[in-house]
Amino acid sequence: MRPFLLLAGLFLAGAAAAEDKPVLTVYAPDYFGSEWGPGPGIEAGFEAICGCDLAFRTGDVLPRLLLEGDNTRADVAIGLNTDVTLRAREAGIFAPHGQDTAGLSLPVDWADETFLPFNWSYAAFVYDRTRLAAPPESFADLLEAEDLSIVIQDPRSSISGLALLLWVEAVYGEEAGRAWERLAPKVLTVTQDWSTSYGLFTEGEADMVLSFTTSPAYHIVAEEDDTKAAAIFEDGHYLFVELAAKVAGTDQPELADLFMDYVLSREFQAMIPTTNWSYPARLDEADWPQAFRDLPRPGAALFFSEEEAEALRRPAVESWRRAFSR
Amino acid sequence: MTAGRVAAGCVFAVVLAPLAAVIWRAGGLSGFGAAEWAAIRFTVVQAAVSAVLSVAAAIPLARALARREFPGRGVLVTLLGAPFLLPVIVAILGLLAVFGQAGLLGRGLGLLGVEAPRIYGFHGVVLAHVFFNLPLAVRLLLQGWLAIPGERFRLAASLGFGPSDVMRHLEWPMLRDVVPGLLAVIFLICTTSFAVALTLGGGPAATTVELAIYQAFRFDFDPGKAALLSIGQLILTGLAALAAARIAIPANFGDGLDRTARRWDATALWLRAQDALLIGAGGLFLLLPLGAITAQGLAAFARLPDAVWAAAARSLVVALVSAGLAIGLALALAVAASRKSRSPGFELAGTVGVAVSPLVLGTGLYLLLLPVADPVALALPVTALANALMSLPFAFRALLPAARAAERDYGRLADSLGMGGWARLRRLTLPRLRRPLGFAAGLAAALSMGDLGVIALFADPEFATLPLQVYRLMAAYRMEEAAAAALLLLGLTLALFWAFDRGGRGHATV
């Protein structure tokens, strides 16, 4: 019996960590809450001012919240994305964030009262300067390029894959299916998630990978490697905004509100660029790290509202699938 | 046997209760569209082709290994276990380092002025699945060869049998016993493939049922559809397990004294050359990608973060618990199944775990635990349980032939002595099953080590397992450290496997 108890103790050690302090439970995507994401910094920073214990729960945020319904332990959700939030809004699981969104530094106007942006970037194809001398400068260039191989993510399983789908919809509209038919032969492969794609790219499997305009900043800042760059297209780029929201059924409403304040605080925002590798949602450009200020930015931000995105999603996935089965 | 019934009951409960919970939460099942049918069709076809090719290639390779003795054989056989045990993403990158656009093969052929064929497509999916499952098939077949009593080979030699006679009288009956179950298990494990199929399939035409389940949960939030797809997987599993049980003919060699025999039947020079070629080619195919993983991982190994080492310790504990569970269940099921000539119920219980969607299982368990406990605090025990369920079929396949042989050869003697229950297990079954038990425990522990398990909902940021840390490092752009963590995982997994696995490695010398 004793070894069993010992093992049980080892397994359950996490449950015993809670002290007398109130706990704010934050649901976040895995990359956000891990040791190498913004999670630990945010946890330390918030706990210093809240007199509470901030506990991240990582995994698929929205599916989990929908699954749990009223039984959820979440007080706040972070790392959502406009392309999938309609469902959550309709399910009524979130409460207003109560923040003033006027001072946001987003390329689009933001007046949503439920979902609060905390960082943003643009979908983009990233390439290696030493391997690709003349990257395409527009979608038209990309469609016409010969001998160019790209890796993308599956829009059915990856949020960045879905962003590409909407990007093509925004550029080509009715002609999106035709564009995909021309793009498909250049797609070396489609991966389930962003990580596999990016791993293939850094291994040298493909010339370009679907990622974000801010991805090269990682290589510049963390690896002092300036060979990676994002190809900027004249058509404009699809905007990728990450959001936080307060759970309506929270038993810690004051702490949740305090966390919403913290999300837009200077401290939180200053952590974002070099931990989540994207642009902060409320921080003067002058306060961005140099590498982020130097990154080339697209001329135009393409963006669908959540209603438009939800309406487009199914037919766009269907025509995407058809283009690849030819 | 009651123990067998209890084990079977537990397995079915752990599989069916979460599924029922998902259906209950969904409020019913949703129908299939054309996309789901296409996914089912692709899944079945690629799994069938992969299973047949894996086993077809494994038979000559296992035969060559069974009748040869050479320096490094033990190491080679242990390393052969590795591809099967690797986390998917690591194996994919290893495979592509050899067969991909920028891989060794492509560059080698490029030097000769030949353009390497693209790996991405249906053939890529099959190649990857053969890479994963050929070693498993070889190892399970080697267990079959080991189960042929050494006296039979001596007798064959004294009768002047050549290789084809040995094949007809000794090896073929063994294959008739082992291969159907093996085909079924590999077919089933390929039906749950997801990231491999999509990445190497090159596009959405390579959509499997598991990806459709993922989509149903993640973007459509349609648990009813996920549950229905999962039921489809279970029906496939049932059919495959029953078909395997029907086709298999238990081999009957009579008992032996466990002496090992020299293989006089295979001393001809051309046979030696043939076996050397087979072992060389098989070894290269399987070991080159492992070499690539090692080479990539070495660069950042020295600066692996503490969090990775902590995760490695956690994964070891999970693996040991999970192996204990899997072995307990597999032993009870194999012993129960060995007492009957046909035992579809136990066969099914011993097989079903392989084809359970981790996503449905995880979601169901989460729903079941939610009202009574904090599921995330139970993340590691649940991971151990799910991994035990998923490695049970392999442990069961490894134990079954030896359990059958023990029962056949010594069952009547034990009965006449009135030996039952604990005494029979301790004095007859366990000693007779020692070798496959070690192999099965090693397999279960190693599988659990490399598996992500039911992580989508149960991940706890403070108590991550090693495979999860590999993914997290990749998600944080840290590809070099991810490769190093993957190398650590590979090393630990192999060490675990090696430590348990005493059987199967020797034949000529035990």
Side-chain angles (χ1 to χ4, degrees):
Chain A
M1 201 60 197
R2 180 146 323 145
F4 174 77
L5 286 177
L6 200 75
L7 274 179
L10 228 160
F11 273 126
L12 297 172
E19 293 150 38
D20 295 338
K21 290 180 191 166
V23 178
L24 183 76
T25 305
V26 178
Y27 281 15
D30 211 51
Y31 60 82
F32 193 92
S34 91
E35 280 91 338
W36 303 286
I42 288 165
E43 188 174 338
F46 189 64
E47 283 177 355
I49 57 166
C50 73
C52 71
D53 180 18
L54 190 160
F56 279 110
R57 292 280 176 100
T58 55
D60 284 342
V61 176
L62 194 53
R64 192 175 194 163
L65 282 167
L66 290 170
L67 207 60
E68 292 174 341
D70 295 337
N71 290 329
T72 187
R73 288 179 168 79
D75 300 307
V76 168
I78 197 162
L80 300 160
N81 162 297
T82 51
D83 302 329
V84 290
T85 43
L86 184 64
R87 186 89 200 221
R89 198 190 298 276
E90 286 175 346
I93 48 183
F94 292 120
H97 55 63
Q99 297 292 319
D100 178 12
T101 54
L104 292 178
S105 47
L106 285 181
V108 291
D109 290 330
W110 193 273
D112 194 291
E113 289 176 356
T114 304
F115 295 105
L116 184 67
F118 66 91
N119 69 194
W120 56 281
S121 187
Y122 298 98
F125 291 100
V126 170
Y127 66 99
D128 185 327
R129 285 185 225 271
T130 61
R131 297 205 308 261
L132 191 65
E137 291 173 5
S138 65
F139 258 109
D141 272 5
L142 178 62
L143 296 190
E144 274 156 30
E146 284 175 21
D147 270 358
L148 196 68
S149 63
I150 60 178
V151 219
I152 63 170
Q153 293 103 55
D154 194 320
R156 299 167 299 173
S157 59
S158 152
I159 207 78
S160 44
L162 183 58
L164 172 62
L165 208 62
L166 295 172
W167 187 10
V168 173
E169 288 290 329
V171 172
Y172 286 98
E174 300 274 291
E175 293 295 304
R178 293 265 309 127
W180 272 112
E181 280 168 29
R182 294 179 62 198
L183 202 55
K186 298 171 179 41
V187 175
L188 184 70
T189 193
V190 178
T191 67
Q192 167 215 346
D193 55 7
W194 174 89
S195 303
T196 314
S197 280
Y198 212 80
L200 290 180
F201 166 70
T202 53
E203 293 285 297
E205 273 295 288
D207 299 319
M208 300 205 292
V209 60
L210 172 65
S211 191
F212 303 99
T213 54
T214 42
S215 298
Y218 171 79
H219 301 281
I220 295 165
V221 174
E223 298 181 334
E224 297 180 352
D225 165 16
D226 65 353
T227 60
K228 310 288 189 295
I232 302 298
F233 287 1
E234 305 162 346
D235 320 79
H237 284 239
Y238 197 74
L239 181 68
F240 190 85
V241 185
E242 282 192 294
L243 311 162
K246 175 182 165 186
V247 176
T250 172
D251 55 1
Q252 300 288 348
E254 289 83 20
L255 279 178
D257 285 335
L258 192 64
F259 187 77
M260 288 296 155
D261 292 342
Y262 186 63
V263 165
L264 292 187
S265 74
R266 197 180 163 82
E267 183 178 279
F268 180 110
Q269 290 292 312
M271 274 190 262
I272 283 297
T274 54
T275 51
N276 215 30
W277 305 103
S278 42
Y279 298 116
R282 191 161 91 178
L283 194 65
D284 286 340
E285 208 176 313
D287 296 328
W288 296 0
Q290 189 64 39
F292 279 81
R293 274 183 280 159
D294 294 344
L295 285 178
R297 261 174 280 170
L302 307 176
F303 189 61
F304 287 118
S305 70
E306 64 184 21
E307 290 87 1
E308 291 168 321
E310 183 59 30
L312 279 169
R313 187 170 63 86
R314 277 168 198 271
V317 165
E318 202 37 52
S319 71
W320 172 81
R321 225 170 54 83
R322 268 202 308 275
F324 273 91
S325 57
R326 299 205 171 203
Chain B
M1 270 310 286
T2 34
R5 292 245 169 86
V6 171
C10 288
V11 171
F12 289 129
V14 174
V15 170
L16 296 180
L19 182 60
V22 172
I23 297 171
W24 168 78
R25 178 66 182 81
L29 299 169
S30 336
F32 282 173
E36 283 78 27
W37 285 115
I40 291 175
R41 211 166 33 241
F42 173 78
T43 303
V44 170
V45 171
Q46 61 81 15
V49 174
S50 302
V52 169
L53 285 181
S54 299
V55 175
I59 291 173
L61 185 53
R63 190 174 183 226
L65 284 168
R67 65 188 185 193
R68 294 297 158 205
E69 186 57 34
F70 54 90
R73 180 181 177 277
V75 176
L76 178 66
V77 172
T78 300
L79 283 176
L80 284 189
F84 181 66
L85 311 168
L86 285 174
V88 167
I89 197 165
V90 177
I92 290 177
L93 292 179
L95 262 183
L96 290 175
V98 176
F99 298 100
Q101 300 301 107
L104 283 176
L105 186 71
R107 272 182 286 167
L109 287 173
L111 291 178
L112 302 173
V114 185
E115 198 179 332
R118 263 196 186 195
I119 190 183
Y120 304 93
F122 185 82
H123 57 281
V125 179
V126 172
L127 180 92
H129 284 158
V130 171
F131 173 73
F132 278 112
N133 295 305
L134 170 67
L136 174 76
V138 168
R139 289 306 309 264
L140 287 171
L141 284 169
L142 273 175
Q143 293 292 327
W145 253 281
L146 278 173
I148 303 177
E151 286 80 0
R152 301 295 163 272
F153 286 109
R154 294 170 84 98
L155 182 63
S158 71
L159 291 171
F161 274 19
S164 59
D165 303 312
V166 169
M167 183 46 133
R168 194 164 68 235
H169 294 288
L170 296 181
E171 293 168 332
W172 175 244
M174 182 276 291
L175 293 175
R176 278 300 303 261
D177 189 3
V178 177
V179 164
L182 191 54
L183 277 174
V185 166
I186 296 182
F187 169 79
L188 289 171
I189 199 168
C190 294
T191 62
T192 59
S193 177
F194 167 8
V196 174
L198 183 67
T199 305
L200 290 162
T207 297
T208 56
V209 174
E210 192 66 24
L211 178 61
I213 290 178
Y214 193 78
Q215 182 191 2
F217 266 123
R218 182 142 198 192
F219 279 158
D220 298 343
F221 194 69
D222 186 350
K225 189 191 273 178
L228 189 59
L229 286 163
S230 186
I231 291 173
Q233 276 182 326
L234 289 179
I235 291 173
L236 269 180
T237 312
L239 293 178
L242 293 181
R246 281 202 82 82
I247 296 166
I249 299 174
N252 193 354
F253 294 111
D255 48 351
L257 294 172
D258 298 344
R259 276 182 295 192
T260 54
R262 271 182 61 198
R263 294 291 303 272
W264 293 275
D265 56 300
T267 45
L269 188 63
W270 73 271
L271 279 175
R272 280 197 240 172
Q274 177 200 316
D275 286 354
L277 197 70
L278 278 169
I279 294 170
L284 271 186
F285 171 60
L286 297 169
L287 297 185
L288 272 180
L290 296 185
I293 291 167
T294 309
Q296 287 164 349
L298 281 176
F301 198 81
R303 54 186 162 91
L304 267 182
D306 289 346
V308 170
W309 291 101
R314 230 169 276 132
S315 277
L316 274 174
V317 176
V318 170
L320 292 174
V321 172
S322 172
L325 269 175
I327 288 300
L329 290 170
L331 187 63
L333 289 173
V335 169
S338 71
R339 306 246 161 115
K340 298 179 177 179
S341 58
R342 296 251 177 251
S343 48
F346 296 125
E347 288 268 341
L348 191 59
T351 310
V352 70
V354 72
V356 175
S357 157
L359 210 58
V360 173
L361 180 71
T363 307
L365 286 174
Y366 192 86
L367 284 172
L368 288 173
L369 288 173
L370 194 61
V372 291
D374 179 2
V376 174
L378 297 169
L380 292 183
V382 168
T383 306
L385 177 70
N387 287 350
L389 186 68
M390 282 164 208
S391 53
L392 169 62
F394 307 101
F396 176 72
R397 287 289 144 208
L399 293 183
L400 191 57
R404 283 231 169 92
E407 187 58 30
R408 187 187 56 229
D409 301 343
Y410 300 98
R412 276 166 299 160
L413 179 62
D415 287 342
S416 75
L417 292 172
M419 203 157 103
W422 177 242
R424 187 181 181 120
L425 181 70
R426 202 162 58 90
R427 302 213 177 258
L428 166 62
T429 315
L430 288 181
R432 300 301 304 172
L433 261 59
R434 215 184 64 230
R435 278 198 302 209
L437 269 175
F439 170 62
L443 200 60
L447 267 175
S448 172
M449 189 86 196
D451 206 285
L452 263 182
V454 286
I455 223 70
L457 288 167
F458 283 97
D460 181 332
E462 286 168 46
F463 291 90
T465 57
L466 189 49
L468 182 59
Q469 295 295 45
V470 174
Y471 278 82
R472 285 179 167 172
L473 283 164
M474 287 187 79
Y477 288 93
R478 296 167 183 253
M479 301 293 164
E480 277 198 347
E481 281 152 282
L487 176 60
L488 175 64
L489 181 55
L490 175 64
L492 284 177
T493 307
L494 274 177
L496 207 55
F497 184 51
W498 178 83
F500 276 109
D501 174 30
R502 296 233 151 63
R505 271 187 286 148
H507 192 285
T509 55
V510 172

